[in-house]
Amino acid sequence: MSSAQEIVKGLGGAENIVSLSHCATRLRFQLIDGGKVDAAAIDSVKAVMGTVPQAGDRFQVIIGGGVQNVYNEINALPEMSDKRELSDEELKAAARAGGVRGKFAWVDSFFEFLSDSFRPVLGALLGASLFITFMSLMSTLGVIGNWADPTVELEPQWQFVNLLWQSVFVFLPLMVAYNASKKVGADPWVGFAIMAVLMLAGFGNLGQYGETVNVFGSDVTQVDIFGLPLTIFNYDSQVFPPLLMAGALGPLYKLLKKLIPENLQLIFVPFLAMLIMMPLTAFIIGPIGVYLGAWVAQGLGAINAFSPFIFAIVIPLAYPFMVPLGLHWPINAVMLLNIQTLGYDFIQGPMGAWNFACFGATAGVLVLAMRDRDIQMRQTATGALAAGLLGGISEPSLYGIHLRFKRIYPRLLAGCLAGGLVLGFGGTFSEAGAVTTNAFVFTSLLTIPAFTPMALYGIAVAVAFFTSMLLVVMFDYRTKEQRLAHKADLEPAGPEPKIILVGDVEENQAKQWLKALGGEDNVVKVTQVAETRLRVEVKDSSLVDLEALHRAELPGAVQIDDKVWHLVAGLESEQYAHAMGRRLPVPTG
């Protein structure tokens, strides 16, 4: 049975599955009855790193980086042919059907909206972050100048390499607009086109006809368009505007579909949506998104300016609680905004302490799994650790291990605190100052060169990693009951009980033989001593009737001792021994 078949079986069969989707590391199932799930069976599947039951009959299966392959394999099963991903309205109705989260469906929908707006571009972001790391490493080694300084002119070949990561981050608003529009049920290409207006070179060139005005304490360029002020911003890497745009486009799209006849929707729904949303986004939504991002960034910047020491500690301690709720997505947007406006970001350094504390706890679990010969946990921890150290992705560790064992979080938080203290003290007392980075990167081993000062950052993440790891190894991540249960699983299983099938013929002959042996009360024990013979102990041999045994079709009988007889029963001697033994006052055989 394949992994896909085992997962479907553990979920109660295809008939219990309403729909299936997936994120970067997890399969997401909407079920008919969550009570039919055999979580233990799913956890034992080789490809599975963990499971996350959810309210509203939802169930998530942690797969890791190979989630797309398992997703395709499950969809390829014949019994899954009629399954489809639920619409937004169906998902919302399912969530409201039961559970605590169902009572606050808008909260769940909001975080799903954020997650699904960024999730599909994670691969591109990860690839771009490695290009950035390579440029940082070349700069550190003195091969090139400061690649992040726009005043530094690089040689043409290095300018080209620099474009490789910019292709992702410059056009990130378009990618987010596409995903966010798709999530709210609108045509994603319409959302893409609306956001693209603000990123055209011609849009930015309108600023030459404008004048500088002060808005909310900031100088901005505004152009008079049909008597209305159009604020000109550089929307490269901005993510708040496309999110707000999609939030407005979704309800508008649904309204237009209700008002316009179905046979005219293909033409007029996209046209009217763009006619309304393009000016609305350019004049109102886009600027609001820029200001919103700036206010959030300024708020975090104010905390960092007030006390970089406190900031370096609070961020790593907050992230273990923010990531499961999806609250880290807006912070990612702020990081991008910091890089665009300040030229550097001060959040990713402290965030690295959390990530490496998370990976360290996973490494501790791996050490214990290897020591305790826990094959399933060893596979889960190995995959999660590889995804973390090489890709900077914490979800496999978080959902596959940490949220399943409550004792891990205190050890993980200790690592976060230790790493944060190193960053705080180092940033406060060292000449190099606090850790920053000039680009948005995933905090992994491969991206350490992207941080400045690199030595302080490297020491901090190492302290976070090994603190969590050693605490998990020393104090374990399981309760006493969980350790005993695993130990019991390792104990060799006893021999499986042998099933002997006895037919009516054997039962009838066994009854006749016992009668000829002086009755059931005269027989003490019946055992099989050879392939064709039975050993029978009796109380009184004088009660044995040999002629009756022959009439009962017994092939032969021999008295071995005063009270011991051997019966030649044939190849079915085992069945006869069983049938005779269970008729005795004290059953044998």
Side-chain angles (χ1 to χ4, degrees), residues 182-202:
K182 183 178 181 180
K183 181 64 180 177
V184 297
D187 186 334
W189 289 112
V190 171
F192 183 100
I194 293 169
M195 194 63 213
V197 172
L198 278 63
M199 301 193 68
L200 289 172

Side-chain angles (χ1 to χ4, degrees), residues 8 11 13-20 29-32 80 83:
V8 171
L11 291 168
E15 62 275 9
N16 193 42
I17 299 173
V18 178
S19 68
L20 164 64
F29 292 91
Q30 179 65 51
L31 306 175
I32 296 174
M80 293 292 293
K83 308 301 175 185

Side-chain angles (χ1 to χ4, degrees), residues 121-139 144 147 158 161-169 348 356 386-393 437 439-451:
V121 299
L122 283 181
L125 289 172
L126 177 58
S129 71
L130 295 181
F131 286 129
I132 291 170
T133 301
F134 174 72
M135 293 295 290
S136 298
L137 184 60
M138 293 298 100
S139 179
I144 59 176
W147 61 275
W158 290 107
V161 176
N162 218 25
L163 293 175
L164 300 182
W165 67 266
Q166 292 181 28
S167 65
V168 176
F169 286 100
Q348 293 178 73
F356 276 86
L389 293 179
L390 300 179
I393 301 174
T437 179
F440 181 86
V441 294
F442 285 69
T443 48
S444 68
L445 285 176
L446 302 178
T447 58
I448 289 177
F451 291 86

Side-chain angles (χ1 to χ4, degrees), residues 23-26 49 52 62-64 115 122 323-324 326 328-329 332 354-355 358-359 384 387-388 392-403 442:
C23 65
T25 58
R26 288 164 284 158
M49 301 174 69
V52 184
I62 317 299
I63 300 296
S115 175
L122 283 181
V323 174
H328 61 304
W329 290 114
N332 290 345
W354 129 253
N355 258 2
C358 174
F359 307 150
I393 301 174
S394 61
E395 279 81 357
S397 291
L398 191 65
Y399 293 105
I401 303 173
H402 301 170
L403 293 177
F442 285 69

